[in-house]
């Protein structure tokens, strides 16, 4: 699993794109990489781009929910972009889609987060 | 009716084997001509069960996971077993959002996901002896190989 982090909208929005299979094995690396980015920062606005995720199970749900809580606790906001049908089923089952805002793609998520910033 | 087609593998309880296990089972059931959705369900079941054995059964220590898969007509039977610590109360762990390891950021959705992706799920567990999960799943799609059998 590859995690690529970039800054958008003059650096005020963090975008993390995951590529590959998000299972228990990959979850640890994803957690470490994202937590390093979040370290000591408040009001982070993060877009978690899942469009490159080819497989995900409940370990993925755990790591996503964990980052969401962490960001929420420090006054920030996390949204998700590019969810496949298979991943959406898991989100629905776990109730995650009622908690986290989702967008069809990153561009839509950037637009929505810019609005929040205004 | 043809005889069942069977396979069995055993492998170390290491997280890097989660991908190996789900791909092996997915490849084995491919002759049933499952849809992408069914194949994802099969892979997810395997991934959840193997992860449970690694994290909970063997507590991320040494151990062997035993996997058997059988195909009979349009029916897939899958057994995933560990000789780990076992589950104290099976009814409790089957509840949605229950996790014994919130410290590891487990979502507690493993059993719920497994149950919704299969037709039958049996849990057989004994303390200090291990846990055995037995799944039955029908590959029912119109284009499945079994559909054309007499």
């Amino acid at each position: 699993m590859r995690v690529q982090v970039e800054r958008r909208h003059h650096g005020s929005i963090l975008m993390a794109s995951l590529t590959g299979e998000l299972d228990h094995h990959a979850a640890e690396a994803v957690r470490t990489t994202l937590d390093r980015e979040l370290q000591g920062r408040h009001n982070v606005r993060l877009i978690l781009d899942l469009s490159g995720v080819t497989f995900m199970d409940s370990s993925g749900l755990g790591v996503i929910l964990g980052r969401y809580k962490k960001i929420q606790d420090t006054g920030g906001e996390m949204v998700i972009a590019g969810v496949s049908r298979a991943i959406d089923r898991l989100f629905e089952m776990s109730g995650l889609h009622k908690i986290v805002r989702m967008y069809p793609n990153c561009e839509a998520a950037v637009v929505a987060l810019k609005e929040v910033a205004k | 009716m043809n005889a069942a087609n069977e396979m069995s593998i055993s492998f170390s309880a290491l997280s890097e084997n989660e991908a190996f296990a789900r791909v092996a089972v997915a490849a084995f059931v491919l002759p049933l001509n499952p849809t992408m959705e069914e194949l994802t369900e099969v892979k997810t079941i395997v991934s959840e069960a193997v992860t449970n054995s690694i994290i909970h059964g063997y507590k991320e220590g040494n151990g062997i996971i035993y996997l058997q898969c059988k195909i009979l007509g349009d029916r897939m039977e899958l057994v995933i077993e560990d000789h780990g610590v076992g589950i104290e109360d099976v009814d409790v762990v089957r509840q949605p959002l229950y996790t014994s390891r919130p410290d590891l950021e487990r979502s507690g959705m493993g059993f719920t996901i497994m149950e919704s992706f299969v037709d039958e799920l049996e849990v057989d567990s004994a303390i200090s002896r291990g846990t055995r999960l037995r799944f039955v799943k029908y590959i029912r799609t119109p284009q499945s190989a079994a559909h054309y059998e007499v």
Side-chain angles (χ1 to χ4, degrees), chain B residues 67-137:
Chain B
L67 184 156
Q68 287 171 281
C69 190
K70 201 184 277 188
I71 296 170
L72 192 59
D74 59 356
R75 177 186 169 100
M76 178 197 92
E77 277 181 41
L78 178 70
V79 174
I80 297 178
E81 187 175 343
D82 66 62
H83 296 167
V85 297
I87 302 167
E88 203 172 295
D89 188 337
V90 171
D91 291 335
V92 169
V93 305
R94 288 177 87 144
Q95 287 168 11
L97 304 175
Y98 170 82
T99 178
S100 60
R101 300 298 304 270
D103 54 314
L104 294 179
E105 289 189 341
R106 306 304 306 163
S107 66
M109 287 301 293
F111 264 97
T112 307
I113 291 169
M114 289 191 282
E115 281 179 328
S116 53
F117 285 179
V118 292
D119 294 282
E120 289 170 38
L121 168 55
E122 268 172 37
V123 185
D124 192 5
S125 190
I127 293 295
S128 306
R129 298 264 299 279
T131 301
R132 182 178 183 269
L133 300 187
R134 183 178 163 274
F135 306 92
V136 173
K137 183 174 176 61

Side-chain angles (χ1 to χ4, degrees), chain A residues 43-47 71-72 75-79 101 113 116:
Chain A
N43 312 316
V44 172
R45 283 177 294 154
L46 174 76
I47 300 169
I71 290 170
Q72 202 76 3
E77 165 137 38
M78 185 190 105
V79 302
R101 288 197 292 151
L113 281 184
V116 171

Side-chain angles (χ1 to χ4, degrees), chain A residues 39-92:
Chain A
Q39 185 85 40
R41 294 180 65 179
H42 292 268
N43 312 316
V44 172
R45 283 177 294 154
L46 174 76
I47 300 169
L48 195 59
D49 172 21
L50 301 181
S51 59
V53 177
T54 50
F55 174 83
M56 194 181 102
D57 61 16
S58 72
S59 300
L61 288 175
V63 74
I64 291 171
L65 200 58
R67 302 295 71 62
Y68 174 80
K69 282 181 185 159
K70 204 163 203 167
I71 290 170
Q72 202 76 3
D73 288 351
T74 52
E77 165 137 38
M78 185 190 105
V79 302
I80 298 176
V83 174
S84 68
R85 223 189 88 68
I87 294 176
D88 197 44
R89 278 180 83 189
L90 300 185
F91 283 169
E92 223 165 89

